Amino acid sequence: AQSVTQPDIHITVSEGASLELRCNYSYGATPYLFWYVQSPGQGLQLLLKYFSGDTLVQGIKGFEAEFKRSQSSFNLRKPSVHWSDAAEYFCAVGDPSSGGGADGLTFGKGTHLIIQP
Amino acid sequence: DADVTQTPRNRITKTGKRIMLECSQTKGHDRMYWYRQDPGLGLQLIYYSFDVKDINKGEISDGYSVSRQAQAKFSLSLESAIPNQTALYFCATSATGYGYTFGSGTRLTVV
């Protein structure tokens, strides 16, 4: 069975500083990989996804993520955070053999990002 | 209008009551999902559907049932609500090559 680990429950970053959120997965092959953001009281919004090809993926809101097969990781990065980036971030994986998660995505437990002024 | 609409946004119900959460989408996607979110646990899949005749259980389907009334509508029912079903519930849609599109969620409290 596939699983997703987000090692950091909470992360605090100063506004303007760089950010890296960690995600590790357990899966027999390379899964489809996703990062979602959830603002307070809102649903989940897709930041970016990786299916194949270039291992550095660009997303919305200035985020990027790098797939590292050797480390089974898909870490999310942003060079300079803004106060509006404060939210919950979820990493998720989907089974490529099922059409990229047609039978459901497996989510990590989330990382809560706090932005200090 | 939102691509995925969930109603109600908030609901308080009593233990033992039947309750239905509704979801409709304008994405035109065939696949629809119901997830449950609990603090610190991420999202867990309850049920998913590939079309009106194809319903599948997820990892935590006990105590829940679903109905796919049309391609665009997918409802979740709690036949007899219990307090540990208090959670945030999300509906989502997907299509091959895309991620999921989520609704804004229904916050359900069972007292």
Side-chain angles (χ1 to χ4, degrees), chain B residues 50-68:
Chain B
F50 293 154
D51 64 39
V52 295
K53 297 181 180 180
D54 190 348
I55 306 290
N56 303 277
K57 292 183 177 180
E59 55 189 310
I60 58 163
S61 59
D62 287 348
Y64 301 94
S65 62
V66 291
S67 174
R68 185 82 182 265

Side-chain angles (χ1 to χ4, degrees), chain B residues 2 11 14 16 43 46 59 62 77 85-86 88-89 97 108:
Chain B
R11 180 73 181 267
K14 294 183 178 181
L43 281 77
I46 307 173
E59 55 189 310
D62 287 348
S77 294
Q85 291 178 312
T86 293
L88 188 56
Y89 290 85
L108 176 66

Side-chain angles (χ1 to χ4, degrees), chain B residues 16-35:
Chain B
K17 293 291 188 181
R18 183 179 188 274
I19 183 170
M20 178 181 289
L21 309 182
E22 299 188 347
C23 175
S24 62
Q25 55 118 343
T26 58
K27 299 285 288 185
H29 291 167
D30 289 328
R31 304 168 190 164
M32 297 189 73
Y33 307 82
W34 276 103
Y35 280 89

